[in-house]
Every structure is written in C-alpha cells, then in structure tokens.
Amino acid sequence: MTTKSPQLTTFPAFMRVDARKVAIFGNGAEAAAKTRLVANTSAEICVYADAPGAELRADLARLSIEPQRAAFSSEQLDGATLVFAATGDGALDRDIVAAARARRIPANAVDQPDYCDFLTPALVNRAPVAIAIGTEGAGPVLAQMIRARVDQMLSPSLGRLARLAADYRVAVDRLVPRGVARRVFWRRFFEADVATHVSRGEVSLARRAATRMLRAGDNVPGHVWLVGAGPGAEDLLTLRAQRAMMEADVIVHDALVHEAIIALGRRDAERISVGKRKGCHSRSQDEINDLLVELGRSGKRVVRLKSGDPLIFGRAGEEIAALRAAKISFEVVPGITSAFAAAADFELPLTLRGVASSLVFTTGHDLTGATLPDWARLAISGATLCVYMGRTVAASVAARLIEAGLAADMTVAIVENASRDERRLFHGTLFDLPALEGRSELSGPVMVIIGDAVAGANFEHSTPINERMRTPAAQPRTHAA
C-alpha cells in the first residue's frame, strides 16, 4: 500500500503584473510590507492611504510612490490585477475583498485566511529568477527563515547570468542540437567560465566565454577552485565555498577535511581523496598537481578542498604554479584557519591592546632546526604564537622557545579538533608543553597557542595538559557561526 503524499491547498504560480495596477489599502506597517514586496516587480503600485503612518511614508518616499489620500471606495479597484487589504480594520478589509471579488479580482486580506484568494510568499529575488516560499499560512516566520538560507546560497549575480542566457537563447536554439547536447551546454553556461566572469562583474569576458562555448562544442575549458574548508564545523564554511562546491563536477579533498563538509557538495560530484595525513600520504604533491591539471584540461569544474585556509600551510602555492603553467583558470576561496577557530573555542583574543599586537603562524617542525627562524624575536617581544601540527615536537618547541628567552611560565592553550563538537581543550605553561607529546590519543589536528594574551582565555572547559588524560564527553558548542 502506497502512502499518499501530503497535498497543497494552494497552487504555486507566478502572475504577470508588468505595468499592471496592484492596489494596496492601508496606512500602517502591513501596508508598508506589502508595498515593499510588490516593489520587487514592475507593477504599477497604487497605495490608498487616507492617513499614512511614518513607516509607510518612508517606504513610499524611497520608492517614489505618491499615496492616494482617500478613504476606501469600490471605484478605486477599477483596472486592478491584484488587491491587498491591509488597513488593520478587519471589517473594512473584508469589505475591500468582497468588492474585489465582485469584480473577479484576486484579493488578499492580511491575517484573514478565509479572505485570501492568494497568499504572499517569502521571496528571494534574483530577477528574472525568483524563488517564492510559502507555508500556506502555517508558519510565516519559518518561510522567512528558509528565505534567508536560500538567499545566502544563491550568488547575487544569478539574475545577471539569467539575463545573459536570454541573450544567447536564439543562437543556442539554432546551433546546438536539442536533447542532451543542449542540456549540457546550458549546464556549463550556468556553472563554467561564463558564470565565473559574471560573478566578478566581467560581462564582456562572460560574453566571449559564451561565444567560445558555442563555437567549441564539447571542448569547454575546466576551472579549479582552491577552497578552504575551515577548521571542521560545517557552519564555518563560507558562502562562496558552498557555492563552488555546488557547482563542482569533482571534489579533490585532503584526509583532514571533515566528511560533513565534503557531503555539502553536489550528490553527483565525483569525490577523490588525496590523503595527505601525517605519515600517510596517498599521493605526492606532484601527483596532486598533475591530477588538478588533468581534470581542468578535460573540462571539469574542480574544487580542491583543503582544511582551514588553502594559503596557510596548505601547499596551495605549488598547485597555483601548476595551474598557471598549464593555463587552467582557477580561483582561491579563503577559509577560516584553525588558529582562529581554536582561539574562539577558548574565548581567547589573539591580539590584545597593550599586550600583543602581532601574530605568528608557524608549524612545530619550523622550531626543530639548528637555528631559530627570524620571526622568533617577535614571539619574544610579545607576539601571539600559533603553532600548527605541533604535538609530536612539543618538547623541542618548548625547549627552543625557553632557550630563546620566553618565560617558562608563559600560558599555553591547546585545542584538538578546533570548532568541532568533539573538540578537546587543554591549558598549561610553556614548561608543561612537553607533556603534549605523550598524548598519543590525540588523533585529530592540534593547535597550540602561546603568548601573554593567552592568559585572558576562558579555561573553564579545559584540562591541565600535565594532568592524567581522561576521555571527557564532547563539550557543547558555545559559539554560533
């Protein structure tokens, strides 16, 4: 027995209102809201308000609409395509709807479902693209929440891209065969170089790219995004990164990238793991470079997904050089680096007026050589030091920094799996730091923050680093994205 799907009581449709009269009745906030909504269209907006309030007056002035200061009369409905009754007077709104229905004009009375021939949606406007979200009146706030999420996901340039597509429709109908070939063309139009150029405001380059696609047939150039996946929490991924992942045909990812982030890509996108976890590199960097070039040359849209920010210890420089040499177009999409996430977990200011005015990002292995790096003097003079991948060389790091002049009682904050639900926080001093090497159970990425500013952190949920290891339950996340 099959279960019948829930059915809508309203039919979603778009009504033509270009240069047609839409009548809005009311003086207050509801009339102003309906005016703002209809102003997303090219309708002729007629607002009937005998005593317009401040909010309505401000909106009308901004939209260059002159209100008609008159009490309701049925003649005001003449020629209208849609009617909104938003006077705040229930009886008057019902009279307006009744008069509209007598003229067979669809009408909407605010907060009176039985007097609504149509419902107003939450609207995402990327004209000529529009997304209308409705709940049949069950949850207007829910509709607004969904609208906000959809609005974030869609590029602001989507409307410009759709208008450009309209300019090419006749040529495509003439030159590209119907069926699969035409669908492939339009998919590439909306996802490949044309879309990239439009998003950057490069309209002339977008037109050239579209023309090349028409002439090239299947020979469409690929594109690579070098994307920062952030420290691990899905809601710390940037909107630009999410959009790139939804466009990608292939996602090439490191082992440290959280599976929940990878899952945000298109379902039909190919996933390729290139490993690169400490002591276990499934592919060399040269092999990864060659893979990106090969995919780009084959016309693929590729996201190279890296933990944190691709430009901070992500070896992005080598991949950029390879893509440049192969003349493959690419874009770098920044991500939130682990140092920032770790500091947020500790409520720790990385810079603090009068205490620390500079930052140093380094890896633990930079501190194991015979000579301290040039930046060591910055740490000694008060900079906050963020050490990536420092667990296995913690003793060496501590010894070298103390030898260089840092105080042994300098405060240290340590985070495993920064930003994630399963993160673990520790604290101590520079003298205590060697105990970190004995924490073999710490299998996730570890960030060590050292400096005078660290003393201002919140240690309520952290464990002393030299205390015998326990296995605590995951700390609840306290920081919203």
Side-chain angles (χ1 to χ4, degrees), residues 18 40 56 99 111 139 174 190 214 231 269 323 334 381 422 438 473 476:
D18 180 42
N40 284 285
L56 181 59
D111 292 334
R174 187 176 71 252
F190 291 118
L214 275 173
L323 293 168
S381 64
E422 65 271 24

Side-chain angles (χ1 to χ4, degrees), residues 28-41:
E30 290 293 350
K34 300 306 181 188
T35 302
R36 291 193 298 269
L37 180 66
V38 179
N40 284 285
T41 74

Side-chain angles (χ1 to χ4, degrees), residues 181-192:
R182 192 172 294 179
R183 287 197 299 273
V184 169
F185 174 89
W186 283 119
R187 178 173 171 178
R188 287 176 172 171
F189 184 99
F190 291 118
E191 293 182 347

Side-chain angles (χ1 to χ4, degrees), residues 55-340:
E55 182 177 350
L56 181 59
R57 290 199 307 273
D59 282 333
L60 294 179
R62 179 176 56 83
L63 297 169
S64 300
I65 297 173
E66 185 66 33
Q68 301 192 32
R69 297 174 180 263
F72 169 68
S73 65
S74 58
E75 293 78 12
Q76 293 163 341
L77 300 172
D78 291 345
T81 296
L82 291 177
V83 171
F84 291 92
T87 67
D89 181 332
L92 178 56
D93 284 348
R94 291 192 291 274
D95 289 343
I96 294 171
V97 171
R101 287 174 172 175
R103 289 169 166 75
R104 297 184 178 180
I105 304 169
N108 175 290
V110 173
D111 292 334
Q112 299 191 71
D114 291 340
Y115 289 84
C116 290
D117 301 317
F118 63 91
L119 302 178
T120 55
L123 182 65
V124 178
N125 183 5
R126 298 287 191 275
V129 178
I131 299 174
I133 302 156
T135 62
E136 298 188 345
V141 173
L142 175 60
Q144 290 295 337
M145 290 169 61
I146 296 171
R147 184 206 67 79
R149 294 183 184 183
V150 173
D151 193 45
Q152 289 178 338
M153 291 172 59
L154 299 180
S155 170
S157 64
L158 184 62
R160 296 196 299 272
L161 181 61
R163 290 192 292 274
L164 182 63
D167 294 343
Y168 277 83
R169 188 161 299 280
V170 172
V172 171
D173 289 347
R174 187 176 71 252
L175 298 174
V176 182
R178 289 180 179 273
V180 174
R182 192 172 294 179
R183 287 197 299 273
V184 169
F185 174 89
W186 283 119
R187 178 173 171 178
R188 287 176 172 171
F189 184 99
F190 291 118
E191 293 182 347
D193 286 355
V194 178
T196 300
H197 287 310
V198 170
S199 69
R200 295 172 179 170
E202 302 165 346
V203 178
S204 61
L205 293 178
R207 290 186 177 278
R208 292 179 198 170
T211 302
R212 282 197 304 271
M213 284 177 57
L214 275 173
R215 294 172 178 169
D218 291 336
N219 186 24
V220 178
H223 183 78
V224 177
W225 289 275
L226 304 178
V227 174
E234 306 97 285
D235 51 0
L236 291 182
L237 192 69
T238 67
L239 295 176
R240 185 176 297 183
Q242 285 183 304
R243 291 169 186 151
M245 291 181 66
M246 288 305 297
E247 292 184 25
D249 304 307
V250 184
I251 298 173
V252 179
H253 61 89
D254 286 343
L256 288 177
V257 177
H258 201 275
E259 181 58 38
I261 300 289
I262 301 170
L264 294 175
R266 269 195 358 231
R267 288 186 179 182
D268 60 340
E270 181 183 1
R271 270 80 164 164
I272 301 176
S273 173
V274 291
K276 297 195 72 179
R277 188 182 286 273
K278 179 176 171 55
C280 182
H281 292 193
S282 64
R283 297 198 189 209
S284 69
Q285 187 60 51
D286 285 342
E287 289 172 330
I288 295 171
N289 297 345
D290 292 342
L291 173 64
L292 296 178
V293 169
E294 177 187 346
L295 291 169
R297 282 177 172 162
S298 67
K300 300 290 187 181
R301 306 281 283 175
V302 183
V303 159
R304 172 68 173 106
L305 197 58
K306 298 169 175 286
S307 181
D309 182 280
L311 302 179
I312 298 179
F313 306 121
R315 305 190 75 170
E318 297 167 56
E319 294 170 8
I320 288 172
L323 293 168
R324 280 177 178 161
K327 293 182 169 45
I328 304 295
S329 67
F330 68 90
E331 177 183 353
V332 179
V333 180
I336 294 177
T337 188
S338 298
F340 297 156

Side-chain angles (χ1 to χ4, degrees), residues 411-446:
T411 310
V412 175
I414 302 158
V415 184
E416 179 201 25
N417 293 321
S419 83
R420 301 182 191 177
D421 289 337
E422 65 271 24
R423 68 185 182 271
R424 289 190 280 198
L425 281 62
F426 305 91
H427 66 271
T429 66
L430 194 57
F431 180 80
D432 300 324
L433 189 58
L436 185 62
E437 287 194 31
R439 303 284 190 172
S440 57
E441 73 282 356
L442 300 182
S443 58
V446 172

